[in-house]
Amino acid sequence: MATAKQLRFVAEYLIDRNGGAAYQRAGFKATGNAAESAACRLLREPEIQKLIEDGEGKLRERVEREQDDVANMLWTIATADANELIQHRRLCCRYCYGKGFRYQRTANERERDHAQWIVEHQDDDDEAPAAVFDEMGGVGYHKLKEPNRDCPECFGEGVPDVYVPDTRHLSDAARTLYAGVKVTKDGIEVKMHARDAALVKFGEHLGMFRQVHDHKHSGAVGVAEIGDSIAPDQKERVAKEMLRAAGYVIDD
């Protein structure tokens, strides 16, 4: 059965595959060539080899799992519905559903306006014709109704409205897309992770894209889609032509 130091040696060896350094980091006293020789002897032992093989298998599983997690997150960001984070809506106007397409109040607004009307008319001359409170378009206004196509006031287009939902109750997909809020002098800015960049990275992860470099600059200047039907010797040329069509200057 492997000792604690031998187990530590295996763990250290899996980090950088440097036997001598792993031997010293594991706490053994030998250094230099002596450590290298001792590490070689350990690495020839069947039990140590089995431990390294098992460790490499677990490492591969962890890497694959992490790659899948990253790919799933990128796909979620790229396909999440941004309407869960912020919405620009067209809602009914005050006239859409009023009687005779007149201005429509809510029930509370009607009571408030009626009370104010009574105050304003309580000292009216008793001999004058009795004033009648203007009910306008009646009560029942609800801003979330769809615009009325026949409305002569908004012509069926309604009124614009920006709505930011409570981010505490987002779906898992929207929560992944969500990157916080920023309070500005003009209001609240909802921040999101870049969906197009996430989609490109997901495509690169699947091998759908390849990068083409402009040698006048450092780094990739674009991503081109290359199908399997194109011959290998044509792929570079096609990729460059795609980038030139997009406005990039590429050296041949």
Side-chain angles (χ1 to χ4, degrees), residues 178-245:
Y178 179 60
V181 295
K182 180 180 179 181
V183 180
T184 69
K185 62 182 180 65
D186 298 318
I188 295 177
E189 176 187 346
V190 178
K191 302 171 70 176
M192 307 181 199
H193 297 292
R195 293 156 57 90
D196 53 349
L199 190 58
V200 169
K201 288 183 180 298
F202 182 82
E204 290 174 346
H205 175 76
L206 296 182
M208 295 169 62
F209 307 105
R210 61 167 299 171
Q211 291 182 331
V212 178
H213 293 263
D214 179 353
H215 297 296
K216 290 183 178 179
H217 303 84
S218 59
V221 297
V223 177
E225 184 175 358
I226 308 296
D228 291 336
S229 60
I230 301 176
D233 60 343
Q234 295 178 311
K235 289 185 177 181
E236 186 76 17
R237 180 177 59 80
V238 172
K240 288 183 177 180
E241 291 301 323
M242 292 174 69
L243 287 170
R244 285 194 182 99

Side-chain angles (χ1 to χ4, degrees), residues 80-244:
D81 186 0
N83 280 301
E84 288 194 55
L85 298 180
I86 187 168
Q87 301 171 12
H88 179 264
R89 310 180 295 189
R90 304 295 300 191
L91 306 175
C92 69
C93 75
R94 288 283 186 164
Y95 301 86
C96 277
Y97 297 100
K99 294 178 181 178
F101 291 113
R102 297 188 66 202
Y103 185 95
Q104 187 179 42
R105 299 181 176 98
T106 66
N108 285 337
E109 287 171 341
R110 191 271 178 194
E111 292 303 315
R112 178 202 63 199
D113 292 350
H114 185 255
Q116 181 63 32
W117 179 86
I118 291 175
V119 171
E120 294 173 353
H121 291 80
Q122 61 184 356
D123 295 329
D124 285 355
D125 187 352
D126 292 339
E127 296 181 1
V132 177
F133 176 69
D134 187 358
E135 297 287 352
M136 295 194 229
V139 298
Y141 171 72
H142 194 308
K143 68 173 290 184
L144 296 183
K145 287 183 178 179
E146 292 291 324
N148 186 344
R149 291 186 178 182
D150 298 324
C151 178
E153 184 69 23
C154 70
F155 305 103
E157 292 185 357
V159 293
D161 178 81
V162 176
Y163 172 67
V164 180
D166 189 333
T167 57
R168 295 175 300 174
H169 309 304
L170 297 175
S171 68
D172 290 341
R175 193 180 301 277
T176 303
L177 176 63
Y178 179 60
V181 295
K182 180 180 179 181
V183 180
T184 69
K185 62 182 180 65
D186 298 318
I188 295 177
E189 176 187 346
V190 178
K191 302 171 70 176
M192 307 181 199
H193 297 292
R195 293 156 57 90
D196 53 349
L199 190 58
V200 169
K201 288 183 180 298
F202 182 82
E204 290 174 346
H205 175 76
L206 296 182
M208 295 169 62
F209 307 105
R210 61 167 299 171
Q211 291 182 331
V212 178
H213 293 263
D214 179 353
H215 297 296
K216 290 183 178 179
H217 303 84
S218 59
V221 297
V223 177
E225 184 175 358
I226 308 296
D228 291 336
S229 60
I230 301 176
D233 60 343
Q234 295 178 311
K235 289 185 177 181
E236 186 76 17
R237 180 177 59 80
V238 172
K240 288 183 177 180
E241 291 301 323
M242 292 174 69
L243 287 170
R244 285 194 182 99

